[in-house]
Amino acid sequence: MPTTTLFTVPPSPPTTTKRSSLSPSSPSSVASTTTSHFPNVDRLAFLIEKSKSVNHILQIHAALLRHGLHDHPILNFKLQRSYSSICRLDYSVALFESTEKPNVFYWTAIMHGHAQCGLHEQAIFYYVQMLTQGVQPNAFTFSSVLKACSLQPGKAIHSQAIKFGFDLDLYVRTGLVDVYARGGDIMSANQVFDTMPEKSLVSLTSMLNCYAKHGKLEEARALFEEIKDRDVVCWNVIIDGYAQHGLPNESLLLFRQMLAAKVKPNEITVLSVLSACGQIGALESGKWLHSYIKNNGIRINVHVGTALVDMYCKCGSLEDARMVFDRITDKDAVAWNSMIVGYAMHGSSQEAFQLFNEMCRIGHQATDITFIGILTACGHAGLVNNGWGFFNLMKDQYKIEPKIEHFGCMVNLLGRAGHLEEAYDLVKNMKIKQDPVLWGTLLGACRLHGNVSMAEEIAEFVLSHNLANSGTYILLSNIYAAAGYWDGVARMRLLMKDSGVEKEPGCSSIEVDNKLHEFLAGDLRHPQSKQIYMMLEEINSWLKANGYTPQTDIVLHDLGERQKEQCLQVHSEKLAIAFGLISTRAGTAIKIVKNLRVCLDCHGVMKQISKITGRNIIMRDRNRFHHFVNGSCSCGDYW
DNA sequence: TTAGGGTTAG
């Protein structure tokens, strides 16, 4: 019986056993098949199909040439397909072109090969050529070419499939659902799907994917619940749908259900679940998943490795991230970027720069994302000159046109460092479309440096050019509040109310024993609420004893001093830290994730708590990580 | 009178 170990060199066989040329047991024996035995076509066909590397295929190809079998229609066809399957389209095309009068099998295979390798236009070109040469397509042809179609050509192929009578074929229909799904035409996808004469698990999954990809999670869930024998692909689609559309908790919940349903996760599953862990900042769950991967034979290839690096960075453990990163053997630019961006968000600028140099040294091309990481690193460290240096390097040497995100990093860097005019000029003069977020960044810098006049000038421009969003009103309101212009605050609140804008409430979360606990400001919903508030009282007495003054001026409401203090005391991050202190062992680090930027008062309080309790506190806010150790923060109070 | 081809997750 042939096995997949055919291409490994076996222990030396007894010399008395005559090895048949029909069952070669090593690559060289394929190529050196020169005995009188005529190779069996089935056997060679099998060997071609089993081949996974270009060398194996080339050896078999050579053997075919030696035996004059290269013209054999099936072997030639299989060879062509085999080269395509490893994306060696050069060989595949050469074979195809040397085939006299290729039949529909050859045409379909060459289309499929190109579609598979992402050469979509080429695949469609072959389809047109085939028709021009009078070869009739069949159902296989349509399902192959559809893989290469975006919405417009897809519609044309759809009509042709109807014309040739293959549109009811299960595979063709599934391909059509997929075309409409990819093109975002959910209505048409639905219509094609609903009118399918029969539905397979694959077609159901294709429709499920359509909903999940486009954030139609309710529809996706309803369809998912209807599917009887869910396979791993099905689960992957729904888990990823939640992970990519802002519901990472739901994604983790489904992952647990998948395990309970005894469906074995694969590489694709863990990519989505790791992303979900990263979004939540769930380090314990992420670590558990890492061990699961190791214990269940899921290979840590460059994709899984990068997802792990990303998860560890976002969950606050740079050490674990770096350990995984160093073990990735075939790092691509994405892997390097994830580690560089990780260092950047922790404010480890020097490490980010070092890694960037290392990446360049070994010949990896930096991408636009690399520069986002590097410029972010400059921003967190206030390195204005370095920032300009990298920004220009990117444009001039790497020929990467700065995108809105790069301008965002620069405006943030300049604005934060007090170079307000420079930042203003950069935004005014940039050649790409004006963006509300960028103006928001600039307004944020005006707020930080108390420049009310520039803020008002910008506000006027932004409001009159329809560039305001919810953030603009909030920022302006905050700027007025900080300057004590309560009239201005009232005006902005009115504008916000009229435009239906609501401020996103601050929310902090903390993971204890694999369970996520979320807190809003002043939250009383937690079962241990009473103990949490008692702990808060204790913290307050510690702070008082240490002479800490609450930063009441950051409370942007027109309230009295005592009320402002009370307002600060129940900020979500304070509830989370209080819960962390009562629910974890003394000495363990506490990790908190906040959806907004940490406020000045909470930042000061965290520093004090780290000193008083001797605990390390790691806090991820919307902007970056803060590591509080013994009374100081890794951000150096610059954030 | 034959063999060979296709659809879903990343």
Side-chain angles (χ1 to χ4, degrees), chain A residues 100-129:
Chain A
E100 230 181 298
K101 288 209 173 164
N103 63 17
V104 65
F105 283 83
Y106 286 82
W107 282 106
T108 302
I110 201 78
M111 269 174 235
H112 186 234
H114 281 82
Q116 218 43 348
C117 297
L119 296 165
H120 296 156
E121 280 182 20
Q122 275 295 312
I124 297 170
F125 170 78
Y126 279 112
Y127 172 78
V128 176
Q129 284 288 103

Side-chain angles (χ1 to χ4, degrees), chain A residues 87 145 188 199 217 252 300 366 401 442 458 460 479 482 526 537 545 550 568 589 603 633-634:
Chain A
C87 271
V145 75
S188 301
K199 292 180 174 96
L217 296 176
L252 286 189
I300 303 189
E401 269 306 305
L442 199 50
I458 292 170
E460 203 169 304
I479 288 167
H526 196 277
E537 282 305 314
L568 285 176
H603 194 266
C633 179
S634 61

Side-chain angles (χ1 to χ4, degrees), chain A residues 589-632:
Chain A
I590 298 178
K591 295 190 169 71
I592 295 171
V593 175
K594 188 175 180 200
N595 64 336
L596 307 174
R597 295 268 288 274
V598 56
C599 86
L600 190 66
D601 186 65
C602 288
H603 194 266
V605 169
M606 294 293 164
K607 286 200 291 184
Q608 291 292 323
I609 295 178
S610 75
K611 192 173 175 186
I612 296 163
T613 62
R615 298 258 205 152
N616 287 0
I617 303 167
I618 299 165
M619 176 184 264
R620 181 177 101 184
D621 74 5
R622 177 174 275 191
N623 200 34
R624 61 166 294 159
F625 271 91
H626 300 263
H627 294 249
F628 300 94
V629 181
N630 194 26
S632 53

